[in-house]
Amino acid sequence: MEKLITLEEYIIHAQNKFPGATGDLSQLLRDISLAAKIISREVNKAGITNILGLEGSENVHGESVKKLDLFANEQWINALSRSNITCMVISEENEGIVRLSDKSGKYIVYVDPLDGSSNIDINASIGSIFSIYMRKDVSKPLSESVALQPGTEQVAAGYVLYGSSTVMAYTTGLGVQLFTLDPSIGEFILHEKKVRIPKEGNIYSTDEGSYLFWDEALKKYVKYCQELDPSTNRPYKARYIGCMAADLHRTLLQGGIFMYPDSSRYPNGKLRLMYECNPLAFIIEQAGGKATDGKKRIMEIEPTEIHECTPVYIGSEENMKKLESFFEG
Ligand code: AHG
Ligand code: MN
Ligand code: MN
């Protein structure tokens, strides 16, 4: 029988490869896994504990917030406060930066504590997404500008998917590792090392109900996906879970393309650069895929606001190339 490797063991093993490593990033990943386990437990009993339903307030973007969003946000902030290595957290659920008690902490963490929250009430997949940066200059006071770094500066990123089982994918720039939570022992178990996204896939994923709001080039590309041509595996299948972490998890494993474009309804797209698109772009690139805003690499965008939106196109190399050929006209 193959030996089970826990996230804990894997982290130690990975850290030992770097002789000078302080262990701080390893500790941070452990803290994150704790938040993930607590949220996973709560998600599983959400129906029974009456946590479902609208919380009544709105988040900083004017979207209605569900109780579980707030619970998840609290868990992330508590977990990141444990080890004094994170100086600030930027969360979808907080308008400004959240300064943690140890102002000398060297990491900055962005988080979407609960992604796909409209899926909560229907028992469909939800997730958490995180992105970690170094605080470059410890002498500078903690502010938004200190946190605004392009995605290429991420030291680690990942997501947790609370699906039919709970999985966690993360990268520190050395490929993507995938773990599955065994709730009976409370451990994330290594599922796959150095995950690779298929070079090409036959799934496209987007909210096609917004078709009329799209640019011509995108309309044409989606029509291309629907055309009959068995030699190129078309028509593609359409899949859209409405939870970017879940849609990206499928894309990572099965290939294809996920798109949340700019449109006449959302001129800058709807998804957030810093805690949705950058971390998932890092994961997909590390697995051999691509992520752009339609023109440039997502991770090279210079951010100007912590909550800014960007259009995003992300997936298998060949599907991305084909999309780009439509955009180039
Ligand atoms: P969140 O629940 O964190 O607000 O994120 C939901 C996001 C994303 O996960 C998903 O891909 C997208 O919103 C769905 O948006 P539409 O309902 O516009 O399709
Ligand atoms: Mn989200
Ligand atoms: Mn969210």
Side-chain angles (χ1 to χ4, degrees):
M1 208 178 94
E2 219 181 305
K3 185 177 163 246
L4 296 182
I5 300 171
T6 65
L7 175 67
E8 185 76 15
E9 287 170 327
Y10 190 83
I11 286 173
I12 293 168
H13 160 83
Q15 187 190 315
N16 287 342
K17 284 192 183 160
F18 294 94
T22 59
D24 282 358
L25 185 59
S26 303
Q27 184 57 43
L28 188 48
L29 289 167
R30 271 187 214 112
D31 294 341
I32 286 174
S33 77
L34 178 67
K37 285 182 209 172
I38 296 174
I39 297 167
S40 178
R41 186 191 61 194
E42 211 59 26
V43 164
N44 285 326
K45 61 177 195 190
I48 18 179
T49 53
N50 198 25
I51 206 165
L52 296 180
L54 291 176
E55 213 273 334
S57 59
E58 292 192 335
N59 72 12
V60 292
H61 316 296
E63 297 155 344
S64 57
V65 173
K66 315 243 163 162
K67 283 181 188 173
L68 213 46
D69 293 60
L70 297 181
F71 176 85
N73 195 34
E74 253 175 57
Q75 296 311 316
W76 273 89
I77 292 174
N78 288 347
L80 294 169
S81 308
R82 284 164 55 87
S83 313
N84 299 333
I85 41 187
T86 305
C87 59
M88 64 173 146
V89 180
I90 295 96
S91 164
E92 183 187 25
E93 302 301 336
N94 296 93
E95 189 164 357
I97 60 173
V98 179
R99 294 176 181 85
L100 298 189
S101 56
D102 190 342
K103 310 259 180 314
S104 61
K106 65 179 182 200
Y107 290 111
I108 299 167
V109 179
Y110 280 87
V111 64
D112 179 353
L114 219 293
D115 177 53
S117 39
S118 64
N119 283 352
I120 297 171
D121 288 345
I122 56 159
N123 253 303
S125 294
I126 47 185
S128 300
I129 310 174
F130 61 92
S131 168
I132 303 171
Y133 292 84
M134 284 293 269
R135 180 181 179 187
K136 292 275 168 58
D137 184 349
V138 187
S139 66
K140 276 197 189 157
L142 295 178
S143 66
E144 289 194 11
S145 68
V146 169
L148 289 170
Q149 301 179 34
T152 47
E153 296 297 310
Q154 291 173 102
V155 293
Y159 61 83
V160 184
L161 178 62
Y162 314 98
S164 41
S165 56
T166 294
V167 297
M168 162 140 79
Y170 81 81
T171 184
T172 54
L174 299 170
V176 178
Q177 331 310 333
L178 198 59
F179 296 82
T180 301
L181 179 63
D182 180 339
S184 66
I185 55 169
E187 295 274 10
F188 278 101
I189 305 294
L190 182 63
H191 183 102
E192 204 177 329
K193 274 194 287 190
K194 303 218 161 142
V195 185
R196 301 300 291 171
I197 181 173
K199 247 184 142 24
E200 187 160 15
N202 66 339
I203 298 174
Y204 73 98
S205 182
T206 193
D207 168 28
E208 216 169 326
S210 298
Y211 184 86
L212 289 179
F213 303 112
W214 294 346
D215 283 352
E216 280 314 304
L218 182 61
K219 287 181 178 167
K220 285 191 182 136
Y221 173 70
V222 167
K223 285 293 160 212
Y224 164 87
C225 296
Q226 297 167 343
E227 277 162 20
L228 180 65
D229 178 16
S231 72
T232 51
N233 243 326
R234 288 178 295 150
Y236 291 170
K237 287 182 281 185
R239 295 282 185 273
Y240 188 67
I241 299 169
C243 164
M244 191 189 188
D247 278 314
L248 261 290
H249 186 62
R250 181 200 56 249
T251 307
L252 176 69
L253 299 185
Q254 300 187 336
I257 189 164
F258 171 86
M259 304 173 279
Y260 208 111
D262 48 344
S263 63
S264 55
R265 181 154 57 168
Y266 294 116
N268 299 315
K270 181 189 152 192
L271 298 180
R272 314 282 160 181
L273 175 63
M274 301 305 286
Y275 42 81
E276 290 178 323
C277 300
N278 265 334
L280 294 170
F282 193 16
I283 290 278
I284 290 292
E285 283 197 8
Q286 280 292 312
K290 283 187 79 177
T292 74
D293 67 355
K295 295 187 191 84
K296 69 188 288 194
R297 196 174 160 218
I298 287 287
M299 292 210 290
E300 286 177 9
I301 297 173
E302 285 290 342
T304 54
E305 284 169 49
I306 54 176
H307 294 294
E308 77 188 63
C309 292
T310 177
V312 61
Y313 305 87
I314 181 165
S316 297
E317 193 185 323
E318 292 302 325
N319 300 72
M320 287 293 292
K321 268 192 202 153
K322 182 49 95 178
L323 173 79
E324 279 155 22
S325 73
F326 279 81
F327 282 179
E328 281 152 14

